[in-house]
């Protein structure tokens, strides 16, 4: 079992910045990769960014060059630095961890944190 707790959401003006945090606890040693997803009202959940245990990263096209995902292994925490925020970035942001044990993959999700960008 992995428990994820997000923090750092809030209200910000367009062009501003926010940093989200996702603290992991539990069976963190079997985490394979962690992601940030987001879901806006009436839209499907979309991938924002991902980071592997080795530090490889990937980003959704809409956030490339503006968002940066990073991790602090000592704190078991993943961060999402969001710069140059746009109103279309408004969504609930979810932290996701994928664990792997004997080729059996499991998804864990945090409760989500609201990000609202005003124009």
């Amino acid at each position: 079992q992995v428990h994820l707790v997000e923090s750092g959401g809030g209200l910000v003006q367009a062009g501003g910045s926010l940093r989200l945090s996702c603290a992991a606890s539990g069976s963190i040693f079997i985490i394979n990769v962690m992601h940030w997803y987001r879901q806006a009202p009436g839209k499907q959940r979309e991938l924002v960014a991902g980071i592997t245990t080795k530090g490889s990263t990937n980003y959704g096209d809409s956030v490339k060059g503006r968002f940066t995902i990073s991790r602090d292994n000592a704190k078991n925490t993943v961060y999402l630095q969001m710069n140059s925020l746009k109103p279309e970035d408004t969504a609930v942001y979810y932290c996701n961890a994928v664990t792997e044990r004997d080729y059996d993959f499991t998804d864990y999700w945090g409760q989500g944190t609201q990000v609202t960008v005003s124009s």
Side-chain angles (χ1 to χ4, degrees):
Q1 290 285 336
V2 173
H3 186 54
L4 303 172
V5 178
E6 301 107 330
S7 61
L11 174 64
V12 64
Q13 288 189 330
S17 298
L18 281 175
R19 188 176 81 156
L20 305 183
S21 299
C22 173
S25 61
S27 300
I28 58 175
F29 58 93
I30 57 173
I31 292 177
N32 183 280
V33 60
M34 294 189 71
H35 301 100
W36 285 99
Y37 284 80
R38 68 185 182 187
Q39 188 166 20
K43 294 188 177 181
Q44 289 188 329
R45 190 170 294 191
E46 65 170 341
L47 174 68
V48 176
I51 187 166
T52 69
T53 53
K54 294 183 178 180
S56 296
T57 59
N58 67 292
Y59 296 92
D61 289 341
S62 61
V63 306
K64 284 180 181 177
R66 299 188 298 123
F67 291 10
T68 303
I69 189 170
S70 62
R71 64 192 300 160
D72 184 333
N73 291 330
K75 296 182 179 180
N76 300 319
T77 299
V78 171
Y79 303 98
L80 184 68
Q81 178 65 44
M82 305 185 294
N83 299 327
S84 303
L85 283 161
K86 305 175 181 179
E88 50 264 43
D89 294 318
T90 296
V92 178
Y93 285 70
Y94 296 92
C95 181
N96 162 263
V98 180
T99 63
E100 187 270 330
R101 174 175 282 176
D102 297 331
Y103 301 102
D104 182 27
F105 295 86
T106 304
D107 278 289
Y108 293 92
W109 296 89
Q111 80 286 355
T113 185
Q114 177 70 48
V115 171
T116 303
V117 184
S118 63
S119 57

